[in-house]
Amino acid sequence: MSSINEINEPDVFVVADNILSPLGKTTAENFAKLRENISGVKQHTDVAISPLPFFASLFDKGEEFVKADEHNYTKFEQLLIASIADALNGSGVDVRDKKTVLVISSTKGNINLLENEAINDELKERISLSTSAKLVAEHFGFQNQPIVVSNACISGVLGVITAARLLRSNQYESAVVAGADVISKFIMSGFESFKALSPGPCKPFDKEHDGLNLGEGAGTIILSTNHKYAQNIKVKGGSVSNDANHISGPSRTGQELAGAIKNALQEANFIADDIDFISAHGTATVYNDEMEANAIAISELQKVPLNSLKGFYGHTLGAAGLIESIISIRSLKQSLIIPTIGFTEAADPGKVNVGTAPIRLKANNFLKTASGFGGCNAAVIFGK
Amino acid sequence: MLTEKYITGFCSIDNGIVAKDGVAIFGHQGDLPGLLLAAYQHLQLSYPKFYKMDNLSKLGWLTTEFLLKNTFNPGDYRPEETGVILANANSSLDDDVKYWESIKDVASPSLFVYTLPNIVIGEICIRNHFKGEQALYIQPEFNAEFITQQVSYLLNKNIIQACICGCIDVFEEDYKAVLFLVEKKKTDTSVVFSAEKMDEIFNKEA
């Protein structure tokens, strides 16, 4: 239809990235820990978060991520700032350029502020994701109003897709996409109420999978259409869908996530065979893993090596899509696919090819998937 | 050539009044829960899930019902061809506060699930069997230009063929909903889809 339009569409390159997690403050530190099979998930006893001991990947209590200053940034904002600062360092991207935009992804942002104080106008303003985005944008000197994505557990992937679309349609030249979430009693109690938490370290796609672990972290991916990055890995395609089935349970068939995968492949001008590995959502809840395995099998990707990184990071909510994409970008560069810790025997044999050991593989492209409450699904493809 | 795109209908719920294509069709004096219930009863539907929704989802669901009634022909599109792209300022804070108060007793999963602002999209998609693209953005003020850009991308590239977009916002008694139906076909009452037109309609309904 719009062939002329498509010819003029620029490629979107990955300029730089950062992961800030309990495992490390840079992508390199994080990848090194994963290569050593070290997980951030531990048992914690903290009655401020949960009355009972729980397994999660959390930062040390009271840890500061940026130097104390007059702004009183919250932990959520500190994570974003520290992650963005490291990603920007040496990237060559000018945040003060009118052609650069900031995209923030988060599931619950500053929601922990609600735990200590009754709601009033001041708190309402302080808790708002728009306030955090503005503070972060001002910290770095971004000129444009930031874009904020809050779409449950696909927020991180949707942030990348939104940014790639803005760049492809020449609205901006560069985008800094950053996501973060902080685990507090609000979030923990909610997942507990759903009986969605595993009593131990999570076991994605394993036949004994019994729930997820929560995790804290931030991730940043800087994207640009500038040709000086033309040798870099690209965002090849991405798409989003809705199950139209249930607000708190995924599709029974996986058809809708498969639909998002199909559209992402189409945008990349790929067939299933072009995908060399998959970074799945893999929360380790029975419902999620089953749906995702179905979607992958429908997409004829059942033989493609797949991992879930939730055993290393827990479910980092709005940061998950970014952190897991960044690790996978590193896997492309180093030809090393990270295994799925917690997995031993497949719950859905024949539908997913889950790795238990690191795989040396010269890969060109990978698929990242995510799904969340509200029936949302997202798929994005990165490649050389 | 860019695809031609038209606003084939719009609907608002604001200040106690439901208006379709700029014409008031229903009014109710009273608080927001009263308005939502009265508007639901006005539609004379049986949709028991409505009663379980939080106010944000009720507001978005109802606005969509009024928007689509006598305007949208579901037979025109496959499920994956209709998208829902929404924005608001207050995220799910209205339900966040209610959930947090509830946990002093027993944490309620039925309140927790609504502590995500995109659940309203899920409710609209379930009701109408929409399986296409969807996104929820947080904006301090409705940013018609950004929404137009995202929706146009999806329609121009034939990722979807129709889209419901706009703003659904609730915090306590402070609420406003304005939704637009955007399609690639011209109708007797349609107007060309643009940020300026969305802004004009959005601000008129204020």
Side-chain angles (χ1 to χ4, degrees), chain B residues 26-186:
Chain B
F26 178 75
H28 179 83
Q29 298 293 317
D31 63 4
L32 177 63
L35 166 68
L36 295 170
L37 182 62
Y40 172 73
Q41 288 165 341
H42 176 84
L43 285 166
Q44 296 189 306
L45 296 167
S46 174
Y47 194 76
K49 279 193 199 111
F50 177 82
Y51 297 98
K52 296 182 184 173
M53 295 178 198
D54 76 330
N55 286 347
L56 182 68
S57 284
K58 281 180 179 164
L59 183 67
W61 188 92
L62 281 167
T63 312
T64 308
E65 285 299 303
F66 284 103
L67 170 70
L68 299 183
K69 197 177 176 184
N70 304 324
T71 296
F72 183 75
N73 178 10
D76 288 351
Y77 306 103
R78 286 180 282 124
E80 60 274 21
E81 287 181 331
T82 302
V84 183
I85 307 290
L86 303 183
N88 79 16
N90 288 306
S91 183
S92 53
L93 186 61
D94 187 68
D95 185 72
D96 293 346
V97 172
K98 289 172 185 161
Y99 170 71
W100 182 247
E101 281 166 4
S102 84
I103 86 156
K104 289 165 191 160
D105 197 9
V106 179
S108 152
S110 56
L111 283 174
F112 182 67
V113 69
Y114 289 101
T115 65
L116 297 163
N118 60 299
I119 298 297
V120 58
I121 296 177
E123 295 286 14
I124 292 167
C125 288
I126 291 167
R127 165 69 175 163
N128 297 290
H129 214 57
F130 295 152
K131 295 187 171 185
E133 286 274 338
Q134 59 115 90
L136 191 292
Y137 299 100
I138 307 292
Q139 302 172 342
E141 275 133 28
F142 181 58
N143 185 343
E145 201 180 328
F146 172 77
I147 296 294
T148 308
Q149 194 279 330
Q150 289 291 315
V151 172
S152 296
Y153 183 96
L154 297 170
L155 292 167
N156 288 343
K157 294 195 80 176
N158 285 313
I159 299 167
I160 52 174
Q161 300 301 325
C163 192
I164 290 165
C165 61
C167 172
I168 303 289
D169 206 5
V170 176
F171 182 68
E172 296 176 344
E173 283 299 311
D174 187 9
Y175 65 91
K176 176 165 176 159
V178 185
L179 292 183
F180 303 84
L181 175 63
V182 184
E183 297 177 272
K184 294 180 178 179
K185 61 175 191 194
K186 214 171 183 166

Side-chain angles (χ1 to χ4, degrees), chain A residues 24-268:
Chain A
K25 288 181 164 40
T26 64
T27 302
E29 284 176 27
N30 274 272
F31 198 75
K33 288 283 170 60
L34 267 53
R35 287 186 66 156
E36 292 166 40
N37 225 25
I38 296 170
S39 167
V41 175
K42 295 186 183 77
Q43 189 172 33
H44 292 266
T45 304
D46 183 350
V47 291
I49 297 181
S50 175
L52 296 170
F54 57 93
F55 281 80
S57 172
L58 305 179
F59 290 107
D60 291 337
K61 240 183 158 172
E63 188 174 347
E64 300 268 337
F65 304 94
V66 292
K67 283 187 200 125
D69 68 1
E70 73 276 22
H71 286 287
N72 283 321
Y73 294 125
T74 61
K75 181 175 173 181
F76 167 61
E77 290 147 11
Q78 287 187 29
L79 289 174
L80 289 171
I81 289 170
S83 179
I84 294 169
D86 178 69
L88 279 174
N89 190 13
S91 69
V93 168
D94 180 7
V95 296
R96 292 179 183 276
D97 192 320
K98 277 294 276 178
K99 290 182 290 188
T100 304
V101 68
L102 173 66
V103 179
I104 300 286
S105 295
S106 183
T107 303
K108 288 312 298 172
N110 274 329
I111 197 65
N112 58 312
L113 300 181
L114 201 59
E115 297 174 6
N116 308 318
E117 204 184 330
I119 192 76
N120 56 46
D121 284 351
E122 200 184 327
L123 180 61
K124 182 176 159 230
E125 179 73 20
R126 190 65 194 84
I127 235 168
S128 159
L129 280 171
S130 297
T131 302
S132 297
K134 188 165 176 277
L135 287 169
V136 173
E138 282 169 359
H139 177 90
F140 291 100
F142 284 91
Q143 299 296 301
N144 297 296
Q145 184 183 312
I147 289 156
V148 177
V149 180
S150 187
N151 206 116
C153 301
I154 70 163
S155 299
V157 176
L158 181 54
V160 171
I161 292 172
T162 300
R165 287 173 179 168
L166 287 167
L167 301 192
R168 265 193 210 108
S169 51
N170 295 303
Q171 303 288 313
Y172 302 98
E173 184 183 277
S174 302
V176 176
V177 188
D181 266 296
V182 171
I183 301 305
S184 70
K185 190 173 181 180
F186 186 103
I187 292 170
M188 186 66 77
S189 63
F191 279 93
E192 272 166 2
S193 77
F194 265 105
K195 308 205 183 311
L197 299 177
S198 172
C202 69
K203 300 181 276 289
F205 297 108
D206 189 89
K207 67 179 178 43
E208 307 280 320
H209 53 175
D210 57 1
L212 57 82
N213 304 137
L214 289 166
E216 295 182 314
T220 302
I221 298 181
I222 303 177
L223 301 174
S224 179
T225 54
N226 191 312
H227 271 273
K228 67 179 172 183
Y229 306 110
Q231 299 307 310
N232 293 18
I233 284 162
K234 304 178 193 78
V235 181
K236 297 273 190 168
S239 190
V240 181
S241 68
N242 194 285
D243 292 337
N245 176 52
H246 198 282
I247 53 168
S248 59
S251 163
R252 285 289 177 187
T253 63
Q255 279 294 351
E256 299 76 17
L257 173 59
I261 294 170
K262 184 179 151 212
N263 282 350
L265 286 168
Q266 201 171 323
E267 187 170 43

Side-chain angles (χ1 to χ4, degrees), chain A residues 309-371:
Chain A
L309 301 177
K310 297 293 191 291
F312 291 99
Y313 290 106
H315 190 347
T316 53
L317 307 175
L322 290 158
I323 290 174
E324 294 159 12
S325 292
I326 295 163
I327 291 295
S328 304
I329 290 167
R330 195 49 69 130
S331 287
L332 275 188
K333 289 178 180 169
Q334 301 199 358
S335 303
L336 182 76
I337 298 163
I338 301 295
T340 302
I341 49 170
F343 173 87
T344 43
E345 198 179 330
D348 295 285
K351 290 185 181 171
V352 275
N353 175 14
V354 186
T356 51
I359 306 171
R360 279 268 160 219
L361 181 76
K362 194 139 178 42
N364 288 315
N365 308 297
F366 73 87
L367 167 71
K368 168 81 205 113
T369 56
S371 297

Side-chain angles (χ1 to χ4, degrees), chain A residues 293-316:
Chain A
N294 285 338
I296 284 169
I298 293 167
S299 307
E300 296 182 345
L301 294 165
Q302 62 271 32
K303 295 210 169 85
V304 177
L306 169 147
N307 68 20
S308 158
L309 301 177
K310 297 293 191 291
F312 291 99
Y313 290 106
H315 190 347
T316 53

